[in-house]
Each structure stands twice: as C-alpha cells, then as structure tokens.
Amino acid sequence: MGRMRIAITGSSGLIGTALVRSLQADGHEVVRLVRRPARARGEVSWDPVRQTVDAAGLAGCAGVVHLAGAGVGDHRWTAAYKKEIRDSRVLGTAAIAEAVASLDTPPRVLVSGSAIGIYGDTGDRLADENAPPGHGFLADVCQQWEEAAVAAAEAGVRTVYARTGLVVSRHGGAWGKLFPLFRAGLGGRMGSGRQYWSFIALQDHVAALRHLLEDTSLSGPVNLTAPHPVTNRQVTEVMGRVLHRPALLPVPAPVLRAALGEMASDVLGSQRVVPRRLLDSGFSFACPDVESAVRAALADTR
C-alpha cells in the first residue's frame, strides 16, 4: 500500500489509537474526526448526534475507518444508555456515509465498525459471515448500524462492515477489565463457563483493519475474530496460568444478572464466530490462539 490519506473516527479509543499509531509509523497521513471545532492540522469536525460532518476535510482521503460509538460495557443498560448506544452508532454511521457519498471524488473504501453481536447467541454453532442475524438488543443495533452505511455503498464506495469480537488488550475494552481482576486473584469463570468467547488480539485487529483497507476484493461483512473461539472456562484457565494467579472464584449467573442487569445476557451468552472471509482472503494472524493473544497484551507496554 502506497502512502495514503486515511480518515478515522474514534481515533482516541483503544482500537483507533493503535490504528493511528500503526498507519503513521508507515508514513500514512491520518485525518482525525473530532467532536469539537477542529483546532489542529489533520483534524476534521463532526457531530454524530446532529449528523454533521465537515465533508470538505475528507477530500483526498483514500479510505475512511469509522470506529466511533458509545462503549457497550461502560454503563448499566438503562433505557437512556441503550438509546445512546444505538444513536451513537446508527446516526454517526449515517452521517459519515452521507458525507463520503457527497464528495465529487469519494474515498475508495469505507471500513465501518460493526460487531459479532449481530449473530446473537449462537450456542455451540459455528457462525461465519453467512450466518443470519440473531435476536436481542445488540443484534438489532448491529443490523441498524450496518444498514446506516447504505449511502456510501450506493455511491459506489467499497463498503466493509468490520464485525469485531472481544479485543484482547490490557489497556481498555472488556478484556481490559479482566486483567486487574485476575492479577488480584479474583478471576474466575462466569456462569457455566461453557459459553464461547470469540476474541482477537489488538495487534491482529489493527492488522485486519489495514487488510480491509487494502484488499479490494473484500466488501460487506467481515468477521474480525481469531480463528479459534474458546469457552469462558478456557479463557479463565489461560488467564490464571499466564498471570500465575489462581482462578478459583466462579461468578454465578444470578450474581452477574444482579450486577449487570440486561447486559448479563451477553456476558453469559455464547458466540462461536469464525473469520471465514478474512482467512479466505489470505490474512495471517500473529496471535491465532487465546494464550498468544493474552501474552501479546501483557507485552504491550505502549
């Protein structure tokens, strides 16, 4: 990939920060979309709620990576916060897609964030990109999230939906909350422990996003998960072994439901998702198994 100008929303988040660092290290120009007046070179103002984007700032971009959205695990799912989760994704994506479509020379590709939550609870069944949408709040949000990018696709922009799994990092995200618990000896399986977790190392996630920018054969949904999903019980064993801490304190399902409310259904649910299209396109994982992903996260000192 030659030197390119790439626009990114959510550039200050866990994944966005790592992606910006990776692109800039290879000499690419990064344009950050910020939710305030642009103050520095390389910033473009946008407001996902009001659906406004300074589209002129996207001129000359070869690609746009749209990662912004309210954190799913940041707060208890009250009615107000569920609306924020939905609106931040659906309205923001529609604004970006329409801005991209409005340009005389639009970017070649829009990589729009999505999540494996679209499949709902898959139980023991393997789900690739051909699996149908599931049921529940997150599945509904993900469907609307992807549909909101229609303006870009209709304008002829190659549009990819990056369906992300659990990102393994100690610096943020859901997995970032596990590391301190296990370090303190408080880690343990959740519920039965038989539910599948589809994960991806942060470095593989960044590499996969760059692969989606470059590989012109890819459009539509692409699962960003490691090739070997594991059960929560297996995650617990690996975390305990790698961190040299006992993992003997299971968290019963009723306790999780009391603590997390509706969100507990997703913690206890099973998603056995595989990255069929990513593998078929020739992508190679640096951390294909959960132990290598956890060890890579520990080695990431930033």
Side-chain angles (χ1 to χ4, degrees):
M1 184 170 66
R3 186 176 183 275
M4 296 196 304
R5 176 176 163 93
I6 304 293
I8 301 176
T9 73
S11 63
S12 62
L14 173 67
I15 297 167
T17 299
L19 178 61
V20 168
R21 186 168 60 243
S22 174
L23 288 168
Q24 290 181 334
D26 286 342
H28 301 293
E29 180 184 355
V30 173
V31 176
R32 302 170 187 260
L33 278 83
V34 295
R35 283 174 278 190
R36 53 169 171 74
R39 294 195 292 261
R41 185 176 179 275
E43 290 185 348
V44 171
S45 180
W46 81 306
D47 187 327
V49 176
R50 292 185 174 86
Q51 294 186 275
T52 59
V53 181
D54 180 8
L58 302 180
C61 287
V64 176
V65 182
H66 174 45
L67 302 173
V72 170
D74 290 356
H75 301 279
R76 194 179 180 90
W77 286 1
T78 62
Y81 195 66
K82 285 170 69 174
K83 183 177 186 301
E84 183 175 345
I85 289 172
R86 187 187 303 271
D87 287 353
S88 68
R89 286 161 172 75
V90 177
L91 299 182
T93 300
I96 291 297
E98 288 164 10
V100 163
S102 73
L103 296 172
D104 291 336
T105 305
R108 296 193 295 269
V109 57
L110 168 63
V111 177
S112 189
S114 184
I116 62 171
I118 196 167
Y119 302 114
D121 189 334
T122 70
D124 292 338
R125 173 177 54 85
L126 282 172
D128 63 15
E129 291 85 354
N130 292 318
H135 304 283
F137 170 67
L138 288 183
D140 291 344
V141 167
C142 288
Q143 290 178 71
Q144 294 175 41
W145 194 1
E146 293 185 3
E147 290 166 0
V150 64
E154 289 179 346
V157 176
R158 180 170 65 88
T159 303
V160 188
Y161 309 110
R163 293 178 175 174
T164 300
L166 291 168
V167 177
V168 184
S169 171
R170 62 191 182 91
H171 297 294
W175 217 287
K177 297 177 181 179
L178 293 182
F179 278 98
L181 287 175
F182 277 86
R183 283 189 186 279
L186 300 176
R189 63 174 172 79
M190 299 180 184
S192 70
R194 293 192 295 271
Q195 68 272 33
Y196 277 90
W197 282 16
S198 296
F199 66 93
I200 185 169
L202 178 59
Q203 68 188 79
D204 279 332
H205 195 285
V206 169
L209 288 173
R210 293 190 57 170
H211 183 76
L212 298 181
L213 285 170
E214 298 173 36
D215 191 331
T216 58
S217 71
L218 290 170
S219 62
V222 179
N223 294 335
L224 268 58
T225 61
H228 307 297
V230 292
T231 64
N232 173 257
R233 185 185 296 275
Q234 290 171 302
V235 168
T236 300
E237 292 171 354
V238 167
M239 290 288 286
R241 182 170 65 252
V242 172
L243 294 173
H244 307 291
R245 294 289 189 276
L248 305 174
L249 300 173
V251 184
V255 173
L256 279 172
R257 292 190 180 97
L260 301 179
E262 185 179 348
M263 193 194 313
S265 62
D266 287 275
V267 174
L268 296 168
S270 182
Q271 292 197 304
R272 194 180 182 190
V273 178
V274 290
R276 187 76 62 204
R277 298 193 65 206
L278 203 55
L279 291 171
D280 288 348
S281 70
F283 182 79
S284 179
F285 285 86
C287 303
D289 59 85
V290 70
E291 181 161 341
S292 62
V294 170
R295 292 191 183 279
L298 287 174
D300 181 9
T301 59
R302 301 217 169 175

